[in-house]
Amino acid sequence: MSQLNNRYDFLYIFDVQDGNPNGDPDAGNLPRIDATTGEGLVSDVCLKRKIRNYVQMVKGCADSYDIFVKEKAILNDAIEGAYEDDRVKKAKDSDKTDAARDVMCGRYFDVRTFGAVMSTGEKTKNAGQVRGPLQLTFARSVSPILSQEHSITRMAVASKKEADKQAGGNRTIGRKSTVAYGLYVAHGFVSANLAQQTGFSEEDLALVWEALGNMFDCDRSAARGLMSARRLIVFKHSSVLGNAPANKLFDLVSIEQIEKEKASRSFSDYRIELDRENCPANVEIIEVI
């Protein structure tokens, strides 16, 4: 594994057409929205889940690429499992937590990437906490979105009792919420300093770029409509701690709706421009997508 020696900041642009990119369970699973501006939101947790799922599909449970936070996982069992490792068994009592932390980072891709709280189990068997080197913000839509609800009909019922009530009609009515179109932007950060502490490597970072490019194609569902990764613009610093503030680098990217008086319905309705000329000399721009 190659050690990560550069800080990265990145802009991830994706869109949704006729789907719900991230339902809000506190609002009847309607698409998340900023109540003040009407702009759509997709949580960082949602994006991290898709990255985890992609890595799990590509790598399975291969050594160092297992996933800690996965569906129906019992996290404390995984933490206690680290104490079966010889490195933890041989460590002094005062060093066992740190040793278990290192084992968890080496074993689980998402722990060394996003971090984790692993002090939830027994006091004698915990792995402390890990600050992940890769962090994501909520994604926010460039323009306000309009959430629409649609009535849907199922030509069947779940039980005979329901069928008897309908005298054999066997139809049920439901509702489905969609966004006609939304172009979303998320900001991401990779700390080389934290990467060196968790063991997050250049190979791990390449896998993240791959996941961001392909994860929607491996996560299709009727509820999410057509979701597509559109651009991944990466700013690579020449040093561990970075050479320019992230916000100034993000300002080099401008995204605007071409016809603002018209409702957007496709990616072609937007213009994305990258100001390469004003990028600091010690920062490299890489367009992965």
Side-chain angles (χ1 to χ4, degrees):
M1 292 287 186
S2 304
Q3 180 175 282
L4 200 71
N5 293 313
N6 306 87
R7 196 187 97 188
Y8 293 83
D9 300 304
F10 62 92
L11 209 72
Y12 183 52
I13 304 171
F14 62 94
D15 63 0
V16 60
Q17 183 176 351
D18 298 325
N20 183 351
N22 184 205
D24 185 350
D26 289 330
N29 210 43
L30 293 171
R32 294 182 189 272
I33 192 170
D34 183 325
T36 303
T37 65
E39 294 165 344
L41 301 172
V42 173
S43 72
D44 60 316
V45 175
C46 173
L47 297 175
K48 289 177 180 177
R49 176 75 271 152
K50 295 181 190 303
I51 294 173
R52 285 184 170 100
N53 290 346
Y54 181 83
V55 172
Q56 190 173 6
M57 282 187 288
V58 170
K59 296 292 186 179
C61 295
D63 291 343
S64 78
Y65 286 101
D66 200 358
I67 297 299
F68 177 57
V69 183
K70 55 188 172 184
E71 187 177 0
K72 298 181 180 179
I74 301 175
L75 302 182
N76 286 349
D77 286 355
I79 296 168
E80 291 174 12
Y83 277 75
E84 301 301 317
D85 191 282
D86 288 339
R87 289 169 288 178
V88 180
K89 290 180 178 179
K90 294 176 181 178
K92 298 178 182 178
D93 288 345
S94 58
D95 296 331
K96 285 189 181 295
T97 297
D98 290 340
R101 175 185 179 276
D102 292 341
V103 169
M104 294 294 287
C105 286
R107 185 175 293 175
Y108 295 103
F109 174 84
D110 54 338
V111 173
R112 66 175 178 274
T113 303
F114 304 127
V117 176
M118 300 178 291
S119 55
T120 56
E122 299 178 20
K123 290 184 178 180
T124 57
K125 288 187 177 181
N126 80 77
Q129 298 184 17
V130 175
R131 283 187 62 197
L134 192 153
Q135 297 301 330
L136 287 163
T137 66
F138 268 49
R140 179 178 290 269
S141 67
V142 177
S143 308
I145 63 167
L146 177 62
S147 175
Q148 299 176 318
E149 281 196 278
H150 313 274
S151 295
I152 55 176
T153 304
R154 182 175 69 174
M155 307 298 290
V157 291
S159 67
K160 187 175 185 304
K161 185 177 181 181
E162 289 180 274
D164 291 341
K165 283 184 178 181
Q166 295 185 24
N170 289 18
R171 295 190 180 191
T172 54
I173 304 297
R175 301 191 70 79
K176 185 175 183 177
S177 301
T178 65
V179 174
Y181 183 79
L183 183 67
Y184 290 79
V185 182
H187 299 86
F189 316 90
V190 181
S191 166
N193 183 47
L194 291 175
Q196 292 171 8
Q197 296 178 31
T198 68
F200 182 77
S201 66
E202 289 280 3
E203 290 80 4
D204 290 332
L205 183 60
L207 184 55
V208 171
W209 299 151
E210 181 185 325
L212 290 173
N214 298 306
M215 63 188 189
F216 293 130
D217 289 315
C218 299
D219 188 50
R220 298 296 183 193
S221 80
R224 284 188 280 276
L226 177 59
M227 294 188 70
S228 306
R230 292 298 187 174
R231 297 285 288 276
L232 175 55
I233 302 171
V234 179
F235 298 94
K236 180 180 179 180
H237 299 253
S238 63
S239 67
V240 171
L241 298 180
N243 305 98
N247 62 297
K248 290 188 176 181
L249 297 176
F250 294 147
D251 287 343
L252 298 175
V253 183
S254 64
I255 307 172
E256 62 178 1
Q257 190 174 344
I258 298 172
E259 297 182 48
K260 295 183 180 180
E261 69 283 355
K262 178 184 174 182
S264 61
R265 287 296 180 268
S266 71
F267 182 60
S268 61
D269 291 335
Y270 289 86
R271 180 188 297 113
I272 301 175
E273 295 181 345
L274 179 56
D275 184 4
R276 292 179 177 273
E277 292 184 2
N278 290 312
C279 183
N282 45 14
V283 176
E284 179 186 359
I285 299 176
I286 306 169
E287 292 192 66
V288 179
I289 302 173

PDB file of all heavy atoms in Angstrom, residues 46-68:
ATOM      1  N   CYS A  46     -25.878   9.221   3.261  1.00  0.00           N
ATOM      2  CA  CYS A  46     -26.418   8.535   2.087  1.00  0.00           C
ATOM      3  C   CYS A  46     -25.308   8.243   1.077  1.00  0.00           C
ATOM      4  O   CYS A  46     -25.205   7.124   0.559  1.00  0.00           O
ATOM      5  CB  CYS A  46     -27.504   9.401   1.453  1.00  0.00           C
ATOM      6  SG  CYS A  46     -28.129   8.789  -0.126  1.00  0.00           S
ATOM      7  N   LEU A  47     -24.450   9.230   0.818  1.00  0.00           N
ATOM      8  CA  LEU A  47     -23.362   9.040  -0.144  1.00  0.00           C
ATOM      9  C   LEU A  47     -22.341   8.034   0.371  1.00  0.00           C
ATOM     10  O   LEU A  47     -21.854   7.185  -0.387  1.00  0.00           O
ATOM     11  CB  LEU A  47     -22.692  10.388  -0.426  1.00  0.00           C
ATOM     12  CG  LEU A  47     -23.586  11.448  -1.092  1.00  0.00           C
ATOM     13  CD1 LEU A  47     -22.845  12.770  -1.203  1.00  0.00           C
ATOM     14  CD2 LEU A  47     -24.054  10.982  -2.460  1.00  0.00           C
ATOM     15  N   LYS A  48     -22.026   8.094   1.662  1.00  0.00           N
ATOM     16  CA  LYS A  48     -21.071   7.143   2.232  1.00  0.00           C
ATOM     17  C   LYS A  48     -21.620   5.717   2.170  1.00  0.00           C
ATOM     18  O   LYS A  48     -20.872   4.763   1.957  1.00  0.00           O
ATOM     19  CB  LYS A  48     -20.746   7.516   3.675  1.00  0.00           C
ATOM     20  CG  LYS A  48     -19.898   8.766   3.831  1.00  0.00           C
ATOM     21  CD  LYS A  48     -19.687   9.103   5.301  1.00  0.00           C
ATOM     22  CE  LYS A  48     -18.849  10.352   5.482  1.00  0.00           C
ATOM     23  NZ  LYS A  48     -18.692  10.721   6.917  1.00  0.00           N
ATOM     24  N   ARG A  49     -22.939   5.582   2.357  1.00  0.00           N
ATOM     25  CA  ARG A  49     -23.545   4.252   2.272  1.00  0.00           C
ATOM     26  C   ARG A  49     -23.343   3.651   0.880  1.00  0.00           C
ATOM     27  O   ARG A  49     -23.044   2.467   0.729  1.00  0.00           O
ATOM     28  CB  ARG A  49     -25.044   4.371   2.586  1.00  0.00           C
ATOM     29  CG  ARG A  49     -25.862   3.100   2.464  1.00  0.00           C
ATOM     30  CD  ARG A  49     -25.613   2.165   3.624  1.00  0.00           C
ATOM     31  NE  ARG A  49     -24.527   1.249   3.423  1.00  0.00           N
ATOM     32  CZ  ARG A  49     -23.798   0.733   4.417  1.00  0.00           C
ATOM     33  NH1 ARG A  49     -24.019   1.055   5.674  1.00  0.00           N
ATOM     34  NH2 ARG A  49     -22.826  -0.116   4.151  1.00  0.00           N
ATOM     35  N   LYS A  50     -23.499   4.478  -0.148  1.00  0.00           N
ATOM     36  CA  LYS A  50     -23.342   3.988  -1.516  1.00  0.00           C
ATOM     37  C   LYS A  50     -21.886   3.618  -1.799  1.00  0.00           C
ATOM     38  O   LYS A  50     -21.621   2.643  -2.512  1.00  0.00           O
ATOM     39  CB  LYS A  50     -23.845   5.042  -2.510  1.00  0.00           C
ATOM     40  CG  LYS A  50     -25.341   5.316  -2.403  1.00  0.00           C
ATOM     41  CD  LYS A  50     -25.798   6.325  -3.414  1.00  0.00           C
ATOM     42  CE  LYS A  50     -27.225   6.779  -3.148  1.00  0.00           C
ATOM     43  NZ  LYS A  50     -28.201   5.670  -3.128  1.00  0.00           N
ATOM     44  N   ILE A  51     -20.951   4.382  -1.247  1.00  0.00           N
ATOM     45  CA  ILE A  51     -19.535   4.039  -1.407  1.00  0.00           C
ATOM     46  C   ILE A  51     -19.251   2.712  -0.717  1.00  0.00           C
ATOM     47  O   ILE A  51     -18.578   1.836  -1.280  1.00  0.00           O
ATOM     48  CB  ILE A  51     -18.634   5.155  -0.836  1.00  0.00           C
ATOM     49  CG1 ILE A  51     -18.781   6.438  -1.662  1.00  0.00           C
ATOM     50  CG2 ILE A  51     -17.174   4.711  -0.811  1.00  0.00           C
ATOM     51  CD1 ILE A  51     -18.072   7.640  -1.072  1.00  0.00           C
ATOM     52  N   ARG A  52     -19.752   2.550   0.491  1.00  0.00           N
ATOM     53  CA  ARG A  52     -19.564   1.283   1.218  1.00  0.00           C
ATOM     54  C   ARG A  52     -20.117   0.113   0.419  1.00  0.00           C
ATOM     55  O   ARG A  52     -19.473  -0.940   0.286  1.00  0.00           O
ATOM     56  CB  ARG A  52     -20.263   1.352   2.581  1.00  0.00           C
ATOM     57  CG  ARG A  52     -19.566   2.181   3.653  1.00  0.00           C
ATOM     58  CD  ARG A  52     -20.337   2.053   4.958  1.00  0.00           C
ATOM     59  NE  ARG A  52     -19.615   2.632   6.069  1.00  0.00           N
ATOM     60  CZ  ARG A  52     -19.865   3.841   6.578  1.00  0.00           C
ATOM     61  NH1 ARG A  52     -20.826   4.594   6.045  1.00  0.00           N
ATOM     62  NH2 ARG A  52     -19.171   4.293   7.608  1.00  0.00           N
ATOM     63  N   ASN A  53     -21.334   0.284  -0.097  1.00  0.00           N
ATOM     64  CA  ASN A  53     -21.968  -0.807  -0.840  1.00  0.00           C
ATOM     65  C   ASN A  53     -21.166  -1.167  -2.081  1.00  0.00           C
ATOM     66  O   ASN A  53     -21.040  -2.346  -2.436  1.00  0.00           O
ATOM     67  CB  ASN A  53     -23.398  -0.422  -1.235  1.00  0.00           C
ATOM     68  CG  ASN A  53     -24.337  -0.368  -0.040  1.00  0.00           C
ATOM     69  OD1 ASN A  53     -24.010  -0.848   1.046  1.00  0.00           O
ATOM     70  ND2 ASN A  53     -25.495   0.241  -0.232  1.00  0.00           N
ATOM     71  N   TYR A  54     -20.634  -0.158  -2.761  1.00  0.00           N
ATOM     72  CA  TYR A  54     -19.842  -0.425  -3.970  1.00  0.00           C
ATOM     73  C   TYR A  54     -18.577  -1.204  -3.628  1.00  0.00           C
ATOM     74  O   TYR A  54     -18.244  -2.190  -4.295  1.00  0.00           O
ATOM     75  CB  TYR A  54     -19.480   0.885  -4.671  1.00  0.00           C
ATOM     76  CG  TYR A  54     -18.673   0.670  -5.935  1.00  0.00           C
ATOM     77  CD1 TYR A  54     -19.303   0.356  -7.139  1.00  0.00           C
ATOM     78  CD2 TYR A  54     -17.282   0.748  -5.925  1.00  0.00           C
ATOM     79  CE1 TYR A  54     -18.565   0.124  -8.295  1.00  0.00           C
ATOM     80  CE2 TYR A  54     -16.540   0.516  -7.074  1.00  0.00           C
ATOM     81  CZ  TYR A  54     -17.189   0.204  -8.259  1.00  0.00           C
ATOM     82  OH  TYR A  54     -16.446  -0.037  -9.396  1.00  0.00           O
ATOM     83  N   VAL A  55     -17.872  -0.757  -2.586  1.00  0.00           N
ATOM     84  CA  VAL A  55     -16.640  -1.446  -2.181  1.00  0.00           C
ATOM     85  C   VAL A  55     -16.947  -2.885  -1.775  1.00  0.00           C
ATOM     86  O   VAL A  55     -16.203  -3.813  -2.109  1.00  0.00           O
ATOM     87  CB  VAL A  55     -15.946  -0.693  -1.028  1.00  0.00           C
ATOM     88  CG1 VAL A  55     -14.775  -1.502  -0.475  1.00  0.00           C
ATOM     89  CG2 VAL A  55     -15.454   0.667  -1.510  1.00  0.00           C
ATOM     90  N   GLN A  56     -18.066  -3.087  -1.088  1.00  0.00           N
ATOM     91  CA  GLN A  56     -18.432  -4.438  -0.662  1.00  0.00           C
ATOM     92  C   GLN A  56     -18.724  -5.330  -1.873  1.00  0.00           C
ATOM     93  O   GLN A  56     -18.359  -6.509  -1.891  1.00  0.00           O
ATOM     94  CB  GLN A  56     -19.659  -4.375   0.250  1.00  0.00           C
ATOM     95  CG  GLN A  56     -19.973  -5.698   0.935  1.00  0.00           C
ATOM     96  CD  GLN A  56     -21.088  -5.559   1.973  1.00  0.00           C
ATOM     97  OE1 GLN A  56     -21.698  -4.509   2.102  1.00  0.00           O
ATOM     98  NE2 GLN A  56     -21.334  -6.616   2.695  1.00  0.00           N
ATOM     99  N   MET A  57     -19.361  -4.754  -2.908  1.00  0.00           N
ATOM    100  CA  MET A  57     -19.651  -5.533  -4.120  1.00  0.00           C
ATOM    101  C   MET A  57     -18.365  -5.871  -4.877  1.00  0.00           C
ATOM    102  O   MET A  57     -18.204  -6.977  -5.392  1.00  0.00           O
ATOM    103  CB  MET A  57     -20.603  -4.745  -5.025  1.00  0.00           C
ATOM    104  CG  MET A  57     -22.041  -4.778  -4.583  1.00  0.00           C
ATOM    105  SD  MET A  57     -23.152  -4.017  -5.792  1.00  0.00           S
ATOM    106  CE  MET A  57     -22.736  -2.292  -5.595  1.00  0.00           C
ATOM    107  N   VAL A  58     -17.454  -4.907  -4.953  1.00  0.00           N
ATOM    108  CA  VAL A  58     -16.230  -5.093  -5.731  1.00  0.00           C
ATOM    109  C   VAL A  58     -15.231  -5.990  -5.007  1.00  0.00           C
ATOM    110  O   VAL A  58     -14.598  -6.863  -5.612  1.00  0.00           O
ATOM    111  CB  VAL A  58     -15.589  -3.734  -6.057  1.00  0.00           C
ATOM    112  CG1 VAL A  58     -14.200  -3.901  -6.659  1.00  0.00           C
ATOM    113  CG2 VAL A  58     -16.470  -2.946  -7.007  1.00  0.00           C
ATOM    114  N   LYS A  59     -15.095  -5.788  -3.706  1.00  0.00           N
ATOM    115  CA  LYS A  59     -14.060  -6.485  -2.940  1.00  0.00           C
ATOM    116  C   LYS A  59     -14.581  -7.637  -2.101  1.00  0.00           C
ATOM    117  O   LYS A  59     -13.784  -8.458  -1.619  1.00  0.00           O
ATOM    118  CB  LYS A  59     -13.344  -5.485  -2.021  1.00  0.00           C
ATOM    119  CG  LYS A  59     -12.580  -4.378  -2.743  1.00  0.00           C
ATOM    120  CD  LYS A  59     -11.374  -4.937  -3.479  1.00  0.00           C
ATOM    121  CE  LYS A  59     -10.534  -3.819  -4.074  1.00  0.00           C
ATOM    122  NZ  LYS A  59      -9.334  -4.334  -4.773  1.00  0.00           N
ATOM    123  N   GLY A  60     -15.896  -7.699  -1.897  1.00  0.00           N
ATOM    124  CA  GLY A  60     -16.426  -8.736  -1.031  1.00  0.00           C
ATOM    125  C   GLY A  60     -15.912  -8.557   0.389  1.00  0.00           C
ATOM    126  O   GLY A  60     -15.877  -7.459   0.918  1.00  0.00           O
ATOM    127  N   CYS A  61     -15.494  -9.632   1.009  1.00  0.00           N
ATOM    128  CA  CYS A  61     -14.924  -9.570   2.366  1.00  0.00           C
ATOM    129  C   CYS A  61     -13.419  -9.806   2.315  1.00  0.00           C
ATOM    130  O   CYS A  61     -12.835 -10.399   3.236  1.00  0.00           O
ATOM    131  CB  CYS A  61     -15.602 -10.601   3.270  1.00  0.00           C
ATOM    132  SG  CYS A  61     -17.352 -10.287   3.552  1.00  0.00           S
ATOM    133  N   ALA A  62     -12.788  -9.363   1.247  1.00  0.00           N
ATOM    134  CA  ALA A  62     -11.341  -9.552   1.100  1.00  0.00           C
ATOM    135  C   ALA A  62     -10.588  -8.885   2.238  1.00  0.00           C
ATOM    136  O   ALA A  62     -11.068  -7.922   2.841  1.00  0.00           O
ATOM    137  CB  ALA A  62     -10.879  -8.978  -0.241  1.00  0.00           C
ATOM    138  N   ASP A  63      -9.420  -9.412   2.539  1.00  0.00           N
ATOM    139  CA  ASP A  63      -8.602  -8.851   3.611  1.00  0.00           C
ATOM    140  C   ASP A  63      -8.414  -7.359   3.413  1.00  0.00           C
ATOM    141  O   ASP A  63      -8.081  -6.904   2.313  1.00  0.00           O
ATOM    142  CB  ASP A  63      -7.224  -9.535   3.642  1.00  0.00           C
ATOM    143  CG  ASP A  63      -7.308 -10.983   4.100  1.00  0.00           C
ATOM    144  OD1 ASP A  63      -8.350 -11.347   4.683  1.00  0.00           O
ATOM    145  OD2 ASP A  63      -6.363 -11.747   3.849  1.00  0.00           O
ATOM    146  N   SER A  64      -8.652  -6.606   4.463  1.00  0.00           N
ATOM    147  CA  SER A  64      -8.502  -5.152   4.540  1.00  0.00           C
ATOM    148  C   SER A  64      -9.588  -4.388   3.783  1.00  0.00           C
ATOM    149  O   SER A  64      -9.576  -3.155   3.775  1.00  0.00           O
ATOM    150  CB  SER A  64      -7.110  -4.698   4.049  1.00  0.00           C
ATOM    151  OG  SER A  64      -7.027  -4.687   2.643  1.00  0.00           O
ATOM    152  N   TYR A  65     -10.535  -5.085   3.174  1.00  0.00           N
ATOM    153  CA  TYR A  65     -11.600  -4.387   2.444  1.00  0.00           C
ATOM    154  C   TYR A  65     -12.992  -4.771   2.935  1.00  0.00           C
ATOM    155  O   TYR A  65     -13.982  -4.522   2.242  1.00  0.00           O
ATOM    156  CB  TYR A  65     -11.484  -4.637   0.940  1.00  0.00           C
ATOM    157  CG  TYR A  65     -10.342  -3.870   0.317  1.00  0.00           C
ATOM    158  CD1 TYR A  65      -9.137  -4.499   0.020  1.00  0.00           C
ATOM    159  CD2 TYR A  65     -10.452  -2.511   0.051  1.00  0.00           C
ATOM    160  CE1 TYR A  65      -8.083  -3.808  -0.533  1.00  0.00           C
ATOM    161  CE2 TYR A  65      -9.401  -1.801  -0.502  1.00  0.00           C
ATOM    162  CZ  TYR A  65      -8.222  -2.452  -0.794  1.00  0.00           C
ATOM    163  OH  TYR A  65      -7.166  -1.742  -1.338  1.00  0.00           O
ATOM    164  N   ASP A  66     -13.085  -5.366   4.106  1.00  0.00           N
ATOM    165  CA  ASP A  66     -14.395  -5.658   4.670  1.00  0.00           C
ATOM    166  C   ASP A  66     -15.041  -4.335   5.090  1.00  0.00           C
ATOM    167  O   ASP A  66     -14.372  -3.311   5.213  1.00  0.00           O
ATOM    168  CB  ASP A  66     -14.260  -6.600   5.877  1.00  0.00           C
ATOM    169  CG  ASP A  66     -15.557  -7.325   6.193  1.00  0.00           C
ATOM    170  OD1 ASP A  66     -16.568  -7.067   5.506  1.00  0.00           O
ATOM    171  OD2 ASP A  66     -15.573  -8.142   7.131  1.00  0.00           O
ATOM    172  N   ILE A  67     -16.364  -4.365   5.304  1.00  0.00           N
ATOM    173  CA  ILE A  67     -17.101  -3.162   5.688  1.00  0.00           C
ATOM    174  C   ILE A  67     -17.612  -3.331   7.117  1.00  0.00           C
ATOM    175  O   ILE A  67     -18.237  -4.335   7.450  1.00  0.00           O
ATOM    176  CB  ILE A  67     -18.271  -2.914   4.723  1.00  0.00           C
ATOM    177  CG1 ILE A  67     -17.741  -2.658   3.309  1.00  0.00           C
ATOM    178  CG2 ILE A  67     -19.106  -1.724   5.192  1.00  0.00           C
ATOM    179  CD1 ILE A  67     -16.849  -1.450   3.158  1.00  0.00           C
ATOM    180  N   PHE A  68     -17.326  -2.338   7.945  1.00  0.00           N
ATOM    181  CA  PHE A  68     -17.712  -2.376   9.359  1.00  0.00           C
ATOM    182  C   PHE A  68     -19.206  -2.066   9.520  1.00  0.00           C
ATOM    183  O   PHE A  68     -19.949  -2.830  10.138  1.00  0.00           O
ATOM    184  CB  PHE A  68     -16.863  -1.364  10.134  1.00  0.00           C
ATOM    185  CG  PHE A  68     -17.192  -1.236  11.592  1.00  0.00           C
ATOM    186  CD1 PHE A  68     -17.161  -2.328  12.434  1.00  0.00           C
ATOM    187  CD2 PHE A  68     -17.499   0.006  12.135  1.00  0.00           C
ATOM    188  CE1 PHE A  68     -17.448  -2.212  13.796  1.00  0.00           C
ATOM    189  CE2 PHE A  68     -17.784   0.150  13.487  1.00  0.00           C
ATOM    190  CZ  PHE A  68     -17.764  -0.962  14.318  1.00  0.00           C
TER     191      PHE A  68
END
